[in-house]
Amino acid sequence: MPDATPTTFGQLEPSRWPGERLGLPDEGPNSVGRVGRRIVALLIDWGVAILIALLFAPYSSLLHSWLTLGIFVLMQVVFIPTIGGSVGHRLMGLRIIPIAGGWVGLWRPVVRTLLLAIVVPALVWDSDQRGFHDKVAGTVLVRA
């Protein structure tokens, strides 16, 4: 009789709800932040970065594009450890927490944001709706 215990990640059953395998509730506070809120939070953060970059360079310039990305990254790295998430996250009722508990620290926001900035890791999700950038950083985006 074969052993029913999974030995690899691919053998795990999908979660019944995002965050189930992480011990998070299906809904309400501390449940995984859903896609709609995440997208709106991202748009808020990107919009703020665009507006700030406009103070330093014209919209259609290459400098403006790089400034926007740099400001976006800086906002993530500064605000995640200080207020628990970016401005967009907080406005949408979300916060970033480490899976292990405690304070998110300084390295997690840096790793998470650098992976987020190259976009592709954020597009790869598991059944807990955690992007690759969150998995590598050991974080999860939850409802506040």
Side-chain angles (χ1 to χ4, degrees):
M1 181 173 226
D3 187 7
T5 305
T7 57
T8 65
F9 185 76
Q11 293 174 335
L12 289 175
E13 289 292 321
S15 299
R16 290 178 291 176
W17 65 83
E20 176 191 20
R21 291 184 297 192
L22 304 171
L24 300 174
D26 183 19
E27 54 188 43
N30 292 325
S31 64
V32 170
R34 301 305 199 267
V35 177
R37 288 180 188 221
R38 290 171 182 249
I39 291 171
V40 173
L42 179 65
L43 292 174
I44 290 169
D45 291 336
W46 196 254
V48 169
I50 287 171
L51 292 174
I52 293 171
L54 277 174
L55 298 172
F56 302 100
Y59 181 72
S60 60
S61 70
L62 181 60
L63 176 60
H64 182 270
S65 298
W66 283 106
L67 276 173
T68 300
L69 180 60
I71 291 165
F72 176 83
V73 166
L74 182 65
M75 288 188 324
Q76 300 290 313
V77 170
V78 168
F79 291 133
I80 289 172
T82 57
I83 64 171
S86 68
V87 172
H89 291 143
R90 300 309 291 170
L91 287 173
M92 294 309 300
L94 300 169
R95 63 189 172 100
I96 295 174
I97 59 170
I99 293 296
W103 182 52
V104 75
L106 297 176
W107 73 269
R108 284 184 175 92
V110 170
V111 168
R112 182 184 188 280
T113 303
L114 291 177
L115 289 170
L116 181 62
I118 60 173
V119 180
V120 174
L123 299 175
V124 179
W125 291 24
D126 64 10
S127 65
D128 289 314
Q129 291 187 3
R130 288 176 64 214
F132 185 69
H133 62 298
D134 274 321
K135 292 177 77 71
V136 170
T139 58
V140 62
L141 186 61
V142 297
R143 294 179 187 168

